[in-house]
Every structure is written in C-alpha cells, then in structure tokens.
Amino acid sequence: MATGVRRAFKYRFYPTDAQAAELSRTFGCVRKVYNLALAVRTQAWARQERVNYHQTSALLTAWKKTEELAYLNEVSCVPLQQVLRHLQTAFTGFFGKRAKYPRFKSRKKSRKSAEYTTSAFRFQGGRLTLAKMAEPLEIVWSRPLPEGASPSTVTVSKDAAGRWYVSLLCEDPRLQPLPATDAAVGVDVGLDHLLTLSTGEKVSNPRHERRDRARLATAQRQLARTAKGDGANRAKARRKVAKVYARITDRRRDHLHQLTTRLVRDNQTIVIEDLAVRNMLKNGRLARAISDAAWSEFRSMLEYKARWYGRAVIAVDRWFPSSKRCSACGTLQDTMPLHVREWTCGCGTTHDRDVNAAKNILAVGLTATVCGAGVRPQRSTPGGQSAMKQKTPRREP
C-alpha cells in the first residue's frame, strides 16, 4: 500500500456484557496506573528530581506483584504501558512550557479510554478482537477503511452518554495534495454569522446549544433533584444530561466539518485571525455564545485538513484593525462602535462591517506571505490590553 497520512477512523460499537465488563475494568486500571505514576513523579518533582517513563514502567511491574494491586494483572498490560507513555508526553509538554502540569484522573469526570498497540489486538477480515477477549467487537462500519489498511493503534473509549467508540489509526493513501489553485479567501468569524468570507458570502450561525437549551435545562433540573452520591437514579439523570450535550456536540462538529472541508477544497490559501478565544471566554455576557460557535475547533479542523491536502492556512495578528480599515483605499477610521454594521468611507465606498473585515484579513495575510513576514502570529497578549475581538452588539440570552 502506498504511504499516506496517518489518520484515525472512529466507529461506534456495541459490546457484549462480558466485553463491557472487561473494558470497564481496563479503564479503571488505566486510571489507577496513571494516578499512581503521576503521584510518584509529583513527589519526585517536589524533591527537585525527575522520574522518566522507564522508571515508572519498572514501578508498574513492582505494583503488579503486590497484593493490593494484583488486580492489574487481570487486564491487558499494553493499555497500562501506553498510559505511562502518555504521561511521559504530558510531562515533556510541561517541561517544554507548552502545557500545564498534568492532573490526576477522576473516576467520574475523566475520559474513559484505553489504547492498544498491534501486540494487543487482532484485525482480520474487518473483524477486530482485543486482548483478553474471545469474540470480536460488533463495530458499525459507517465508512470503509482504506483498502488494505492495517491499524497500528486501536483506542477504545466510552463517552459520558454511555456510547462506545473504537478509533483505528491507519495510513490513508487517499489523503494526497489537491491540485493547486489560485483561489484565496479571508475568513472573519462572528456570532451573528458564524463565518463571513471575503467573497461576500455569509454563513449563518446554527446556535446548536441554544436550540437545545430548554431540553438541557430540564435534564439539569432533574439531575439537581436527585440525591448526591453513586445512586442509580443520579447516574441515570447524569446520562440524560450527557446525551443532550452529546447531541449538541455532534451537530456542531458535523457542521464545522462540512464548512472546513469546503473551504479547504475550494481555496489554496485561507486567511484567518489569531483570536485569543480563551481570553474572550472571560466575557460573561458572550461566553456561552462564543463556546457554542467553537472558533478554536474550526481553526483546528482547518489546519489539519490543510496539511492533508497541501493547502495553506495563514493566521494574522489579532490586533490588526480589520473592521476599521477601508478595504478599498486603506483609510483607517478613528472608531468603529459595535452597533455600526455598515459604514461609508471618505472615498465613497459603503462597507458591510464583516465583509470589509474579511477582505482586509485576506489582504494582510497574502501580503505577509509575499513579503516573507512571520505569518504565525505571536500568541502572547500585550500587557494591559483586552483580547476581546469586537464582533456583535447583541447580548446572548
């Protein structure tokens, strides 16, 4: 098979009672090993010492020999080793100042997942059998794997809504650069319209969370009325809340996938703003709407799909005055209040605020590329300034 890009294919599956029990035990052991190793490394860090993966792997062998942790031998050893590698990666990011210090995994709130490498699963004839299991998983193959694909890693997970998923990491030779094109587009994100393109096209904001807000509120009230603890009623109410959130997330992700795929296929260069979304979420009035718009997820999808298909995504400085500059003559307005959605420049050009911003974003992005300037903007926020991008005057209910 021709070499391609490594890509994860995620599918829903329905385990038998025995498989569900085995996977639940594995999830618990994975969480236990992660927390034990993190505690050891945290204690060493307090003594100004470092513990690496190989040392925690040796500790895992010793833990299995103790009476208290003998149950770790009942599950496959591969997911336990893999979680130690993940912890090592987390500490590498921390020491490199790219991530925060790793946190302990909660039994109720942490993601339930286990990763298997090739020695811990068998994939033949479209049937996947994991270690410690006698029967293959009943997978719903919603889309075909690449022809002749052989997974290198399998990750099994269970979300808060009780749905089981399996993700197969394979090489996909179909992901090749698309034919080059001269098309380029600037993208201005917002709340009234999710996207405004430099071509003048506006993509409406579906507001997925607001559409299900009443249903979500009802489920949350029912959860609040249940007694706290590990009771069955509370667990059932918690799953109802999770199912509403899952419905919102699924619809949002599907919509973003459609948008980003279209933008990447139609344009060679896509120019966006480097918005500090985390800082913008501190705005109490708009935080809910900004989270629902999922600007960070939109950018992430654009970037990895552009790498797949040989496209370019350029992020311009968030402090560039895209809304106040005339895209026709370049005149910079002194002020541009939020309620002004259309304005006329001194040169006689009438602008739609968002379309004008998208045109300016495209122009500065292409200029940075031609001039060789750094198109990857600084992510640090200048001291004393707010990172809030002026988007909409309306207050979200």
Side-chain angles (χ1 to χ4, degrees), residues 170 223 291 360:
C170 310
L223 175 61
S291 296
N360 283 324

Side-chain angles (χ1 to χ4, degrees), residues 173-188:
R174 300 170 300 184
L175 295 180
Q176 300 293 337
L178 294 172
T181 175
D182 295 332
V185 67
V187 181
D188 181 65

Side-chain angles (χ1 to χ4, degrees), residues 51 115 252 283 310:
V51 175
E115 185 176 280
R252 179 190 297 129
N283 183 315

Side-chain angles (χ1 to χ4, degrees), residues 189-191 194 272-284 286-300 318-319 378-381 386-389 391:
V189 298
L191 297 179
L194 183 62
I272 59 177
E273 287 180 290
D274 180 48
L275 297 178
V277 178
R278 182 175 298 180
N279 292 342
M280 298 170 72
L281 291 174
K282 296 176 182 178
N283 183 315
L286 298 177
R288 196 170 193 174
I290 292 172
S291 296
D292 193 23
W295 296 334
S296 294
E297 188 172 6
F298 167 75
R299 174 173 176 172
S300 176
R318 68 177 67 108
W319 304 110
Q378 296 180 355
R379 292 188 177 274
S380 57
T381 303
S386 169
M388 171 57 65
K389 172 73 176 175
K391 289 295 177 187

Side-chain angles (χ1 to χ4, degrees), residues 215-374:
R215 182 180 299 181
L216 179 61
T218 299
Q220 289 175 328
R221 281 195 297 268
Q222 292 175 351
L223 175 61
R225 293 191 187 105
T226 60
K228 294 184 178 180
D230 297 329
N233 287 339
R234 187 167 182 83
K236 183 178 179 180
R238 187 183 293 112
R239 280 195 299 271
K240 286 185 179 180
V241 174
K243 286 181 179 179
V244 179
Y245 275 119
R247 172 187 170 91
I248 294 169
T249 302
D250 290 345
R251 287 200 312 237
R252 179 190 297 129
R253 186 175 293 120
D254 178 68
H255 185 242
L256 291 179
H257 271 301
Q258 294 182 42
L259 289 178
T260 52
T261 298
R262 177 167 68 90
L263 287 173
V264 168
R265 287 180 175 173
D266 294 346
N267 300 279
Q268 182 67 35
T269 305
I270 305 166
V271 188
I272 59 177
E273 287 180 290
D274 180 48
L275 297 178
V277 178
R278 182 175 298 180
N279 292 342
M280 298 170 72
L281 291 174
K282 296 176 182 178
N283 183 315
R285 295 189 307 163
L286 298 177
R288 196 170 193 174
I290 292 172
S291 296
D292 193 23
W295 296 334
S296 294
E297 188 172 6
F298 167 75
R299 174 173 176 172
S300 176
M301 288 183 180
L302 268 184
E303 291 178 337
Y304 76 71
K305 290 180 182 181
R307 289 194 297 270
W308 284 355
Y309 297 111
R311 302 309 200 194
V313 174
I314 300 172
V316 303
D317 192 338
R318 68 177 67 108
W319 304 110
F320 174 68
S322 57
S323 298
K324 297 193 296 183
R325 185 185 296 272
C326 174
S327 58
C329 67
T331 302
L332 185 65
Q333 305 298 311
D334 294 333
T335 59
M336 185 63 61
L338 280 172
H339 68 272
V340 177
R341 310 314 296 175
E342 292 187 1
W343 58 281
T344 302
C345 178
C347 67
T349 305
T350 300
H351 295 290
D352 177 282
R353 179 193 184 101
D354 298 330
V355 174
N356 177 67
K359 291 179 178 179
N360 283 324
I361 290 170
L362 174 62
V364 72
L366 295 180
T367 301
T369 305
V370 172
C371 298

Side-chain angles (χ1 to χ4, degrees), residues 1 7-11 121 123-128 139-154 166-174:
M1 184 180 68
R7 179 182 181 184
F9 293 82
K10 190 174 182 179
Y11 303 94
F121 68 85
F123 183 75
Q124 293 179 346
R127 297 169 69 85
L128 176 67
I139 301 175
V140 179
W141 298 102
S142 54
R143 53 177 173 166
L145 287 173
E147 185 177 355
S150 179
S152 59
T153 303
V154 169
V166 59
S167 179
L168 291 78
L169 184 64
C170 310
E171 283 192 354
D172 191 352
R174 300 170 300 184

